[in-house]
């Protein structure tokens, strides 16, 4: 079959050029415009990258209109029901579901890299006790590059793999240390006999003064949340990791950049912002007031946990988390006024013409905060947990980028609208 092409015509000059079209496995075709500037002397302009593919990837597919999410071709609903976070992390990183031997080896690797260098116990003490845990995580993940001089050659596949394992393995330990630091409680070492999510809850909540048993329901709920947050194609923080890594920066520095980007309330920081919003609403009777504000162009307030750059249908992850939030609340406290407000807010937003017309549905962050709260996780740790899950995706995407023989440093162009060329003027003449 002949190569599909797009013709671009400059109506001012009559110049026409053909550009190749690439077809993916799923999703829209892409027009390869890499030679546009060279052939036609113009740039494209797409500030939010709403119509721009930055790379080719085999990891995740999202159909925003359908509300579909596939990790390496597997529907998120099946993985949420049948898998666990470390198996999903293996799938995302290596492209296939593991055999038992492969799974056991991967779990062994992650488990035996869960401790951090003892110097981190001193390093973290440099942060104020009231430091936001995300600021601690940005600092500590970046600082990991100061400890692994034996594996910083980004072109070495073994170094790539061990760095990914170390980052996935140490995120729960660093996250729990960030929490303990704010509480002024002693840091708790990981226990290798515990599962990944179970170990995190153990490091978060146990104290030397007494025994602590992790509630299996809580561990399962957290493991599911980590699966749902593990990967999401070229979102802002993943694109940050790719761009940072494209300069050849080490994976710890690139991951730290991704954590910084995830922190924003428009992205991973939304789960924390949802809880703050629900607490601010405080009473179902005030929901209409906040919905009106969200619709008011003069008011910067947005309904946190609603809307998505890609999903113009219900975020499939939100559906799964919603079901689990109800199950957790019913099995723990029986009712949570914030869940009542969330359900009422969702009901109103899904019927309100503003949200319907703009296709603003609940996203993954809308219900996750309810579950974190039911698990006793403090609000300032919500995005930290998002980062814990997403590290698997960041590492898979970083590895895909760094292993690409056609890799080039990312360097966007611009449309310059500043001052025209002019000469320096002495101060006494200004
Ligand atoms: C995540 O990219 C990913 O994959 C991200 C993520 C992942 O897994 O990595 O899925 C995780 O970040 C989920 C999103 C969490 N963020 C929030 O919940 C914050 C609230 N949502 C918005 O800030 C917003 O919806 C975004 C940032 C998520 C998406 O914004 P877009 O795609 O740039 O859309 P937009 O800002 O252009 O909005 C389109 C219209 C605008 O109105 P008009 O200018 O056309 O009149 O919808 C309005 C917006 O004002 N709008 C909202 C709204 N979100 C969009 N109005 C009220 N409340 C909202 N939440």
């Amino acid at each position: 079959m002949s190569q599909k092409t797009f013709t671009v015509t400059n109506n001012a000059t009559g110049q026409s050029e053909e550009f190749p079209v690439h077809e993916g496995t799923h999703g829209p075709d892409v027009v390869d415009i890499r030679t546009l500037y060279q052939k036609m002397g113009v740039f494209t302009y797409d500030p939010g990258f709403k119509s721009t593919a930055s790379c080719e990837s085999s990891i995740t597919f999202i159909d925003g209109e359908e509300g579909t999410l596939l990790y390496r071709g597997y529907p998120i609903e099946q993985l949420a029901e049948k898998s666990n976070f470390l198996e999903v992390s293996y799938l995302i990183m290596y492209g296939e579901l593991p055999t038992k031997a492969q799974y056991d080896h991967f779990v062994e690797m992650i488990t035996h890299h869960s401790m951090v260098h003892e110097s981190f116990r001193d390093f973290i003490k440099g942060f104020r006790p009231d430091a936001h845990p995300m600021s601690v995580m940005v600092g500590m993940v970046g600082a990991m590059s100061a400890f692994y001089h034996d594996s910083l050659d980004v072109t070495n596949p073994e170094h790539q793999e061990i760095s990914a394992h170390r980052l996935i393995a140490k995120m729960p330990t660093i996250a729990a240390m960030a929490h303990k630091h704010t509480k002024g409680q002693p840091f708790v070492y990981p226990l290798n006999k515990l599962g990944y999510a179970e170990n995190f809850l153990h490091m978060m909540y146990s104290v030397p003064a007494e025994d602590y048993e992790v509630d299996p329901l809580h561990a399962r709920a957290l493991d599911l949340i980590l699966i749902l947050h593990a990967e999401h194609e070229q979102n802002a923080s993943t694109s940050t990791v790719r761009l940072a890594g494209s300069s050849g920066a080490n994976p710890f520095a690139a991951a730290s950049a991704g954590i910084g980007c995830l922190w924003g309330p428009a992205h991973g920081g939304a789960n924390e912002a949802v809880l703050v919003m629900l607490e601010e609403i405080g009473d179902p009777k005030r929901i209409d007031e906040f919905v009106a504000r969200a619709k008011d162009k003069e008011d910067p307030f947005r309904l946190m946990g609603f809307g998505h750059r890609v999903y113009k249908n219900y975020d499939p992850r939100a559906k799964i988390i919603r079901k689990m939030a109800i199950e957790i609340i019913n099995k723990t406290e029986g009712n949570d006024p914030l869940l009542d407000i969330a359900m009422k807010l969702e009901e109103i937003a899904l019927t309100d013409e503003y949200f319907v017309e703009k296709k603003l549905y609940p996203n993954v962050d809308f219900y996750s905060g309810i579950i974190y709260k039911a698990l006793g996780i403090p609000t300032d740790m919500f995005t930290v947990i998002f980062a814990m899950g997403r590290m698997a995706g960041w590492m898979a995407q970083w590895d895909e980028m760094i292993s690409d023989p056609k890799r080039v440093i990312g360097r966007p162009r611009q449309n310059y609208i500043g001052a025209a060329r002019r000469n320096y003027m002495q101060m006494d003449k200004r």
Side-chain angles (χ1 to χ4, degrees), residues 12-39:
T13 63
Q15 181 192 6
S16 268
E17 295 292 345
E18 302 278 297
F19 294 92
V21 169
H22 304 313
E23 294 176 75
T25 313
H26 299 307
D29 290 350
V30 297
V31 181
D32 186 338
I33 55 159
R34 282 176 289 184
T35 58
L36 175 69
Y37 177 59
Q38 173 205 334
K39 286 180 177 170

Side-chain angles (χ1 to χ4, degrees), residues 232 266-267 297 303 305-306 308-309 317 358 363 390:
H232 216 238
H267 189 13
K297 282 282 155 249
L303 222 44
F306 280 83
H308 197 277
R309 171 60 56 76
R317 303 167 297 175
K358 291 182 188 294
N363 57 48
R390 187 53 56 88

Side-chain angles (χ1 to χ4, degrees), residues 134-187:
M134 282 296 280
S135 63
V136 175
M137 181 162 265
V138 167
M140 287 180 69
V141 168
M144 283 174 72
S145 45
F147 290 86
Y148 298 114
H149 302 288
D150 64 335
S151 55
L152 289 181
D153 173 1
V154 296
T155 62
N156 179 328
E158 284 169 16
H159 289 191
Q160 292 164 10
E161 185 173 51
I162 183 65
S163 298
H165 288 173
R166 280 170 167 152
L167 278 160
I168 293 170
K170 296 177 195 312
M171 283 294 276
T173 311
I174 289 171
M177 287 176 76
H179 172 64
K180 286 296 195 187
H181 180 63
T182 60
K183 301 270 286 183
Q185 288 184 356
F187 303 126

Side-chain angles (χ1 to χ4, degrees), residues 50 64-65 291-299 301-303 306-314 349-363:
K50 294 191 176 185
E65 303 307 323
V291 169
R293 282 186 57 194
K295 292 154 62 172
D296 178 358
K297 282 282 155 249
E298 301 311 311
D299 188 331
F301 172 79
R302 286 197 162 181
L303 222 44
F306 280 83
H308 197 277
R309 171 60 56 76
V310 176
Y311 289 124
K312 300 309 172 190
N313 197 324
Y314 215 104
L350 290 181
T351 51
D352 181 288
E353 65 183 59
Y354 173 92
F355 290 89
V356 172
E357 184 254 325
K358 291 182 188 294
K359 299 184 176 180
L360 302 175
Y361 291 87
N363 57 48

